[in-house]
Amino acid sequence: MFSGLSAFPLTPTNESGIDEAAFVRLVERLADAGVDSIGALGSTGSYAYLTRAERARIAQLAVKHAGNVPVLVGIGALRTRDVLALAEDAQHAGASAVLLAPMSYQRLSSDEVFELYETVTRSLSVPLCVYDNPGTTHFEFNDELYRRIARLPNVRSIKIPGVPSDTDAARAHVERLRALIPSHVTLGVSGDAFAATGLNSGCEAWYSVIGGLFPRTALAITRAAQAGDRQEASRLSARLQPLWAQFSQHGGSLRVIATAAELRGLVERPVLPLPLKVLQGASRQRLAVLLDELELA
Amino acid sequence: MFSGLSAFPLTPTNESGIDEAAFVRLVERLADAGVDSIGALGSTGSYAYLTRAERARIAQLAVKHAGNVPVLVGIGALRTRDVLALAEDAQHAGASAVLLAPMSYQRLSSDEVFELYETVTRSLSVPLCVYDNPGTTHFEFNDELYRRIARLPNVRSIKIPGVPSDTDAARAHVERLRALIPSHVTLGVSGDAFAATGLNSGCEAWYSVIGGLFPRTALAITRAAQAGDRQEASRLSARLQPLWAQFSQHGGSLRVIATAAELRGLVERPVLPLPLKVLQGASRQRLAVLLDELELA
């Protein structure tokens, strides 16, 4: 399950609570499109903003409505105690795997992060994907830590934060990481703008934000790369450049994809929990035009 | 209450829960020493790692055992919903004021942070101290945001993250900030290494980590600065330079002050929640020697 397109849906959430019906619709949309896995409660799924009970409920709904598609559930939290509890809940809900980012408030050391993964993987009966996302966790993995963590039991994939945009540099980067880790551990690219380059450079998976809302658009890129048609994967990704630019302009993908979900009528407004806000005014208008032009699906 | 020494105690916490008796001893130690206020559930008090119920309990214990010393309670959380609930709990516990940092997972915009403070201050019946700590929140305040937030109802102080180490530059920095905000809002320095320079440069308060464990040492610096004896304040701070160096070496003050609390027998081991770890081995030995040499009290 750690190859191909892993699609990360939003968890529609606001001050009134979680919109479970809207979440179920998003999950069913992904299952219908035939994504390779569904990543519930990723950063796009606002895991960090929800209570343990809310997260358990979302994990249950994702598994129940994903059909035969395996579900990966985010279990990140600031405390090891809470991560262990969330791992139990995810497994109890029937998750096929868990996803763990080293969330931080106090800056973490490499040894602290290693011990976190060691403790959690020891307790698991499902595989784990290491979630490296310094933009939100403020923790920077290094080669030695990749090497040590990838050898822990149950570790099966690493979600890396993008690759260099130059093709040769990207290939060298992926090959270097690949040499650090056992062959049963896959590398999955994230940062949607880097996905085609990452897949073309040897990443086995794409952990995808747009895949969570526009699965057919993301699948087209993924299937082209998997078939060895690098040029087509790159062309399909380059077409979406104006969307990648929006991600950069708005401090990441979440607010843009959340606004897109509202604009397409797939969720009620507002879809994000305060203090987070979706795009307003002219930015929102520009995105609406862009969504039509790009024919995302 | 937003001037002089505000002392921030640890919340002794590990996998077994909170050591309430040890917390009470720390609070009583501060009240006995005559600090000007007690900051419960600051970053040093591990607020970000505790549940709502744990935080409510700590707020109650702090107020109960602080004698006549006013207690400031940290109410930071990733979600506005949770901040509002924590503010209620803190006020219910009898806090004299609250302290709010814009914690983030997704990077926050200035408008989002302003709206957070606007929403929270509107709901409060006690004063609020703005907590600017980019090292943990990963949010950078700017002048315009200081200006807008300082004018909100109930805002009475801003906890700033250090000052330039050069005396003239520090004075210019504090004067520039002072010009942005109303006169009823105080500026309090944090980052203990900067405290003497900050107080000597016009900051009215020191929001202090070492003050939470060694209140007499921190009070000596504070009282010298308040009496206008800048040279003595600087001398007393310079004496502690090896301790400030330890803070830098270990990714901030928390792990060092937590280790110091263990070494002095003021708390049981371990005093921090996993994945956070105190100093081990040679680093721990060096700190033990240093604590004796510096005669901290």
Side-chain angles (χ1 to χ4, degrees):
Chain A
M1 68 172 290
F2 297 110
S3 61
L5 179 68
S6 188
F8 282 68
L10 294 159
T11 306
T13 307
N14 61 34
E15 308 320 289
S16 311
I18 295 176
D19 184 345
E20 294 188 0
F23 178 72
V24 166
R25 284 196 304 272
L26 292 176
V27 168
E28 288 173 343
R29 182 177 162 88
L30 302 179
D32 289 348
V35 302
D36 299 305
S37 66
I38 292 173
L41 297 168
S43 293
T44 304
S46 294
Y47 76 90
Y49 299 86
L50 304 177
T51 65
R52 179 179 175 185
E54 287 169 333
R55 292 170 70 167
R57 176 71 179 152
I58 286 297
Q60 288 157 16
L61 289 172
V63 171
K64 184 171 172 191
H65 294 274
N68 294 324
V69 181
V71 175
L72 182 68
V73 173
I75 59 169
L78 291 174
R79 270 187 82 158
T80 303
R81 169 188 77 175
D82 298 335
V83 175
L84 291 169
L86 291 160
E88 260 186 51
D89 294 346
Q91 292 173 98
H92 188 71
S96 297
V98 293
L99 176 72
L100 177 57
M103 266 183 82
S104 72
Y105 180 76
Q106 296 286 342
R107 188 163 33 158
L108 297 174
S109 71
S110 288
D111 280 346
E112 287 169 342
V113 169
F114 178 75
E115 287 189 30
L116 168 67
Y117 281 97
E118 191 180 38
T119 302
V120 173
T121 53
R122 201 188 298 133
S123 84
L124 287 176
S125 51
V126 297
L128 177 139
C129 176
V130 176
Y131 184 5
D132 177 2
N133 186 3
T136 55
T137 65
H138 307 287
F139 177 78
E140 299 272 352
F141 281 81
N142 55 51
D143 284 359
E144 174 60 12
L145 188 60
Y146 267 170
R147 205 190 59 75
R148 293 173 72 198
I149 290 179
R151 281 165 178 74
L152 289 171
N154 295 313
V155 172
R156 288 294 177 276
S157 187
I158 304 178
K159 178 179 186 299
I160 64 170
V163 292
S165 50
D166 174 74
T167 313
D168 290 342
R171 179 159 291 270
H173 180 70
V174 173
E175 279 172 9
R176 200 177 54 74
L177 294 180
R178 165 68 44 223
L180 296 171
I181 64 177
S183 58
H184 66 270
V185 176
T186 71
L187 288 170
V189 65
S190 59
D192 286 352
F194 305 102
T197 308
L199 291 167
N200 285 343
S201 303
C203 287
E204 290 96 337
W206 173 14
Y207 296 106
S208 176
V209 173
I210 67 155
L213 194 65
F214 302 116
R216 290 171 206 280
T217 299
L219 276 167
I221 295 173
T222 309
R223 297 300 179 238
Q226 287 178 316
D229 193 346
R230 294 181 186 176
Q231 215 170 348
E232 177 66 359
S234 296
R235 188 188 69 78
L236 290 170
S237 174
R239 242 194 97 242
L240 303 178
Q241 184 54 45
L243 187 63
W244 312 148
Q246 292 277 313
F247 288 4
S248 298
Q249 278 166 41
H250 296 286
S253 53
L254 178 64
R255 290 173 184 80
V256 176
I257 210 74
T259 310
E262 290 183 1
L263 288 167
R264 280 289 175 94
L266 293 166
V267 299
E268 304 281 326
R269 296 178 65 165
V271 70
L272 293 181
L274 292 175
L276 305 181
K277 297 182 68 176
V278 295
L279 277 53
Q280 314 285 332
S283 304
R284 189 179 182 90
Q285 291 302 325
R286 273 195 297 277
L287 182 64
V289 172
L290 192 59
L291 292 180
D292 288 344
E293 284 173 3
L294 295 177
E295 298 176 331
L296 299 167
Chain B
M1 67 172 291
F2 297 109
S3 62
L5 179 67
S6 188
F8 281 69
L10 294 160
T11 306
T13 307
N14 60 35
E15 308 320 288
S16 311
I18 295 176
D19 184 345
E20 295 188 0
F23 178 73
V24 166
R25 284 196 304 274
L26 292 176
V27 169
E28 288 173 344
R29 181 178 162 89
L30 301 179
D32 289 348
V35 302
D36 298 305
S37 66
I38 292 174
L41 297 168
S43 294
T44 304
S46 293
Y47 76 90
Y49 298 86
L50 304 176
T51 65
R52 180 178 173 186
E54 287 169 333
R55 292 171 70 167
R57 176 71 179 151
I58 286 296
Q60 288 157 15
L61 289 172
V63 171
K64 184 171 172 192
H65 294 275
N68 294 324
V69 180
V71 174
L72 183 67
V73 172
I75 59 170
L78 292 175
R79 271 188 82 158
T80 303
R81 170 189 76 176
D82 298 335
V83 174
L84 291 170
L86 291 159
E88 260 185 52
D89 294 346
Q91 291 173 98
H92 188 71
S96 297
V98 294
L99 176 72
L100 177 58
M103 267 184 79
S104 71
Y105 179 75
Q106 295 286 342
R107 189 163 31 158
L108 297 175
S109 71
S110 289
D111 279 346
E112 288 170 340
V113 169
F114 178 75
E115 287 189 29
L116 168 67
Y117 281 96
E118 191 180 39
T119 303
V120 173
T121 52
R122 201 188 298 133
S123 84
L124 286 176
S125 50
V126 297
L128 177 140
C129 176
V130 175
Y131 184 6
D132 177 2
N133 186 3
T136 55
T137 65
H138 307 288
F139 178 78
E140 300 272 350
F141 281 82
N142 55 52
D143 285 358
E144 175 59 13
L145 189 60
Y146 267 170
R147 205 190 59 76
R148 293 174 72 199
I149 290 180
R151 281 166 178 72
L152 289 170
N154 294 313
V155 173
R156 289 293 178 276
S157 187
I158 304 178
K159 178 179 186 299
I160 64 171
V163 291
S165 49
D166 174 74
T167 314
D168 290 341
R171 179 161 292 268
H173 180 70
V174 173
E175 279 172 9
R176 199 176 55 74
L177 295 180
R178 165 66 47 221
L180 296 171
I181 64 177
S183 59
H184 66 270
V185 175
T186 71
L187 288 170
V189 64
S190 59
D192 287 353
F194 305 102
T197 307
L199 291 168
N200 284 343
S201 302
C203 287
E204 291 95 337
W206 173 15
Y207 295 106
S208 176
V209 173
I210 67 154
L213 194 66
F214 302 116
R216 290 170 206 280
T217 299
L219 275 168
I221 295 172
T222 309
R223 298 299 179 237
Q226 287 178 316
D229 192 346
R230 294 180 185 177
Q231 215 171 348
E232 177 66 359
S234 296
R235 187 188 69 78
L236 289 170
S237 175
R239 242 193 97 242
L240 304 178
Q241 183 54 45
L243 187 63
W244 311 148
Q246 293 275 313
F247 287 5
S248 298
Q249 278 166 40
H250 297 286
S253 53
L254 179 64
R255 290 173 184 79
V256 176
I257 210 75
T259 311
E262 290 183 3
L263 288 166
R264 279 290 174 92
L266 292 166
V267 299
E268 303 282 327
R269 295 177 66 164
V271 70
L272 292 181
L274 292 175
L276 305 181
K277 296 182 67 176
V278 295
L279 277 54
Q280 314 284 334
S283 303
R284 189 178 182 91
Q285 291 301 325
R286 274 194 298 276
L287 182 64
V289 172
L290 191 60
L291 291 180
D292 288 344
E293 284 174 3
L294 295 176
E295 298 176 329
L296 299 167

